[in-house]
Amino acid sequence: MSYPVTYYCPHCGTLVELERDGYLADKAVTPYPLEGWTYVAPAEPFEDEDGVDGVRFVCGESDGVVWDPHDGVRGTDVGGAVDDGGEDHDADGANGADGVEDDADDHPGCGEPFYLSFVRYEEGREVDPRAESDLVEIDPDPRPSGPRGPHGPSGVGDADGSDGGFW
């Protein structure tokens, strides 16, 4: 049995609805692919497929999904149009300049790619998608790196008993 699951485009916030199996092993939705992950289009098989680590969407353009399924329900503060219960109208009350609906409403989204990455395991351990960092040694020289300078006021503790003051 499959269920509709929604994800946000990290570039513009457009929602995409994707049919998923009951068990989800989602790691992250990112504007970039994770290093070492393999992605397929949402129309291709990806659930429980060997060698598939995620889904690559092109915002508003990928096939096999529903783009902005809640448009008109969310409101203008998150990118959806306000649902007035009627048809879409221009300022003059017509459906576009010639009475036909505008094409801009047919393609929501920004057209940028984004990636749904699944949890991945190697040898029974979850793979961390962050690149391993190299050990960096800031100052390998054992000598002190501070400035050289005077070690204190002269005359303090001299043999003549002076305290080094001005009095």
Side-chain angles (χ1 to χ4, degrees):
M1 178 178 240
S2 64
Y3 303 93
V5 180
T6 57
Y7 302 96
Y8 282 100
C9 169
H11 301 287
C12 69
T14 298
L15 274 175
V16 60
E17 182 177 283
L18 180 64
E19 288 292 323
R20 297 291 309 275
D21 288 346
Y23 174 77
L24 299 179
D26 295 351
K27 181 73 172 175
V29 175
T30 57
Y32 52 85
L34 298 180
E35 188 175 333
W37 263 243
T38 305
Y39 298 91
V40 297
E44 296 179 32
F46 59 86
E47 299 278 9
D48 299 326
E49 295 288 324
D50 289 334
V52 176
D53 302 315
V55 178
R56 179 185 187 268
F57 299 98
V58 177
C59 187
E61 299 175 11
S62 293
D63 294 328
V65 296
V66 177
W67 288 101
D68 217 6
H70 303 292
D71 189 29
V73 176
R74 297 179 295 143
T76 56
D77 59 331
V78 289
V82 176
D83 186 10
D84 60 1
E87 297 178 3
D88 292 336
H89 294 285
D90 290 343
D92 61 0
N95 288 340
D98 56 0
V100 178
E101 289 187 27
D102 294 333
D103 282 342
D105 294 335
D106 294 340
H107 302 288
C110 61
E112 294 291 324
F114 65 98
Y115 302 84
L116 166 62
S117 303
F118 304 141
V119 176
R120 208 170 91 182
Y121 295 94
E122 288 179 4
E123 297 178 7
R125 292 190 158 181
E126 183 178 336
V127 176
D128 187 357
R130 295 175 289 189
E132 292 186 24
S133 59
D134 294 328
L135 179 62
V136 177
E137 198 167 317
I138 303 292
D139 185 12
D141 192 358
R143 294 177 293 179
S145 62
R148 299 185 195 274
H151 297 289
S154 62
V156 176
D158 286 347
D160 65 352
S162 169
D163 64 359
F166 295 106
W167 323 113

